[in-house]
Amino acid sequence: MPGRSTARVADVVAVDAAQPHAWLRGDRPPTVELSPGVWAVPVPCEMFPVRFTYAYLVVDGSDAVVIDPGLDTPAGMDALRAGAADAGLDLGNLTRILVTHYHPDHLGMAARLRDLSGARVSVHASEGAFLADMIDRPPEVAAASEMRWLVAVDAGPDLVRALREQSHAVGALLRVQLCLPDDHLRDGDIVAVGSRRLVAVHTPGHTSGHLCFVDPEAKLLFTGDHILPTINPNVGLHRATDDGDPLGDYLMALERLRAFADHVVLPGHEYAFTGLGDRIDALRGHQTVRSEALTSVLRQRGPCSVSQAAAALTWSRSWEAMSVADRHLALATVFAHVRRLEARGLVAVVSTHPTRYGLVS
């Protein structure tokens, strides 16, 4: 569930005044050239709380790259086509499609644009493996995996029913937006765009294969959903069989990006900004506060399941008032925090059926 950070508004400075003004009004901002040859095109995704995703067009000579083309809808294609026209570009002339992560509001139009232009679609290798699995996975296998997660977080029968209904709807949307990539990018890979270069930086956490892209000459950092100016990206554990530590990965990836503190940040949502170091501090602070709150719940209440702990925590709205979608994200968030505390040796499983976690004395 997206949430507000602990950052003060003054900690980041918007690059283009129209972008934050439109965000606060609930509107879509106009297409804007934020740096020579780099255009931010807001692509609508009204079914998501973020309302739009920025597709970034990077144009140099005969090369034209789009980073995160956005959700594949008629309105989305119209917006991207109009934005490209503002940049003097025909979408049929795209030469590369770069995707920060597989979520449909970022990946969605990749397949359509590939068909239109012949441009290759590139994602991180981990993201490519996940997409291949999603496309090939039989429905019964997907349902079993989903049920393992629901049991692991102790969702309870009513929430299980609601979450499964939501999952089927989300799954249907995701499946029509999926796209197998043409090639995989790894950390440090360079994508040439005319005379400029974009460097891929692996920043796991929001997804395991999330990428940011750096233009070192222009001092630009394209952050997808890894860093947003005021929203805390969801960092959750969404698969019960995953033995990873997404929150630990996220925090380490944040620190890696301090090297680009003097860059302009071009995020997937909200608005472009400067003040990356302050924003990293705020994001780390938010996660620390959440972790301390979870530890306090376990200390006061004793061993809890993920759902029991989530219901006891303070969110931007009460647990009872949350939508099913927000509860889903909240459970994944708490699961990730539990896993982080486990990795640090501070929490351990103390009982099963349902799984409950307690503090290590």
Side-chain angles (χ1 to χ4, degrees):
M1 178 176 57
R4 292 289 147 189
S5 79
T6 54
R8 301 183 305 277
V9 174
D11 286 340
V12 301
V13 178
V15 172
D16 179 80
Q19 287 187 331
H21 290 165
W23 174 260
L24 291 173
R25 291 195 309 268
D27 298 332
R28 263 192 303 135
T31 294
V32 62
E33 188 176 19
L34 292 171
S35 181
V38 178
W39 298 76
V41 183
V43 176
C45 53
E46 286 89 351
M47 66 282 293
F48 294 95
V50 290
R51 302 191 306 272
F52 62 85
T53 303
Y54 283 115
Y56 291 102
L57 299 171
V58 183
V59 183
D60 191 322
S62 60
D63 282 352
V65 166
V66 61
I67 300 174
D68 286 353
L71 192 69
D72 187 6
T73 65
M77 177 54 80
D78 288 346
L80 186 57
R81 198 184 297 277
D86 289 341
L89 175 69
D90 185 311
L91 292 177
N93 293 327
L94 287 172
T95 54
R96 195 77 173 266
I97 300 163
L98 305 179
V99 181
T100 61
H101 62 296
Y102 73 85
H103 289 164
D105 56 324
H106 295 259
L107 170 72
M109 269 193 285
R112 185 182 298 272
L113 292 178
R114 178 172 58 192
D115 291 343
L116 181 66
S117 65
R120 301 198 317 279
V121 176
S122 303
V123 303
H124 186 270
S126 176
E127 222 75 342
F130 179 79
L131 286 166
D133 180 62
M134 286 285 291
I135 290 171
D136 294 338
R137 184 185 300 178
E140 62 275 14
V141 174
S145 175
E146 178 185 87
M147 182 53 67
R148 282 193 295 271
W149 185 87
L150 293 167
V151 170
V153 301
D154 185 31
D158 291 340
L159 191 53
V160 164
R161 189 179 312 108
L163 286 174
R164 294 202 76 168
E165 289 174 359
Q166 173 204 267
S167 179
H168 294 153
V170 171
L173 169 65
L174 183 59
R175 280 189 292 275
V176 300
Q177 305 280 331
L178 291 178
C179 168
L180 279 177
D182 299 290
D183 49 46
H184 293 155
L185 294 172
R186 299 186 182 277
D187 187 66
D189 282 353
I190 295 174
V191 177
V193 188
S195 61
R196 66 200 307 164
R197 60 195 180 100
L198 298 175
V199 183
V201 182
H202 185 207
T203 51
H206 185 60
T207 66
S208 64
H210 192 288
L211 286 173
C212 292
F213 294 96
V214 181
D215 183 331
E217 297 300 323
K219 290 188 178 299
L220 303 175
L221 176 64
F222 302 86
T223 58
D225 279 354
H226 185 66
I227 295 180
L228 305 170
T230 72
I231 293 173
N232 299 302
N234 178 258
V235 180
L237 192 59
H238 294 274
R239 286 173 283 182
T241 55
D242 190 345
D243 60 358
D245 177 12
L247 181 54
D249 292 342
Y250 179 72
L251 294 173
M252 286 191 291
L254 281 179
E255 287 306 310
R256 286 194 66 198
L257 294 189
R258 284 193 192 275
F260 310 108
D262 60 344
H263 287 41
V264 173
V265 181
L266 306 182
H269 307 286
E270 297 190 284
Y271 50 86
F273 67 95
T274 58
L276 176 61
D278 286 337
R279 186 62 186 132
I280 289 173
D281 289 341
L283 288 164
R284 289 187 63 88
H286 171 79
Q287 299 297 349
T288 297
V289 168
R290 179 70 70 205
S291 183
E292 290 174 346
L294 174 58
T295 301
S296 179
V297 166
L298 294 175
R299 183 178 299 113
Q300 293 171 11
R301 297 181 176 231
C304 293
S305 67
V306 169
S307 65
Q308 289 168 337
L313 289 168
T314 299
W315 303 92
S316 57
R317 62 188 66 85
S318 71
W319 185 255
E320 293 73 20
M322 278 189 197
S323 68
V324 172
D326 282 346
R327 286 195 189 190
H328 190 181
L329 292 178
L331 289 168
T333 296
V334 174
F335 204 2
H337 275 275
V338 167
R339 180 61 56 80
R340 176 91 283 260
L341 292 172
E342 276 190 294
R344 295 171 60 196
L346 301 176
V347 160
V349 173
V350 298
S351 63
T352 55
H353 308 296
T355 301
R356 289 190 171 89
Y357 300 87
L359 295 176
V360 175
S361 57

